[in-house]
Amino acid sequence: MNFKTNIKCDACVAKVTPALNKTVGEGNWEVNLLVPERTLTVKTDANIPDMVSALKEVGYTAEKV
C-alpha cells in the first residue's frame, strides 16, 4: 500500500521509525525520499488506522493513494 505523506527528509524518517516499526513492523515499510511525493510504502496488511494514528502523534500524516 502506498501513502502520500509529509515525511520529507532523513531526519523525518528517523523520527517516524519507532512508530512505524511498532505498528507495521521493522522492514515492512519504506519512504521514498527521491520522488517529490515522498511516498510511504507499507508491505504488510498491518492495522493501517493504528499506523496513521501513530504517525499523527509524532507530527506526520499519511493518506492512502
Side-chain angles (χ1 to χ4, degrees):
M1 270 180 260
N2 290 324
F3 297 86
K4 178 182 174 184
T5 182
N6 61 341
I7 300 169
K8 299 179 191 269
C9 64
D10 288 330
C12 298
V13 172
K15 189 171 179 182
V16 300
T17 293
L20 289 171
N21 284 348
K22 182 178 179 181
T23 57
V24 298
E26 188 173 347
N28 289 323
W29 63 273
E30 66 182 357
V31 178
N32 186 347
L33 297 176
L34 301 177
V35 296
E37 296 82 18
R38 306 298 199 258
T39 307
L40 166 64
T41 302
V42 177
K43 305 171 191 174
T44 183
D45 291 331
N47 188 332
I48 299 305
D50 284 353
M51 180 204 69
V52 172
S53 179
L55 285 176
K56 188 175 182 181
E57 286 180 22
V58 294
Y60 294 91
T61 60
E63 291 180 26
K64 192 171 179 185
V65 178

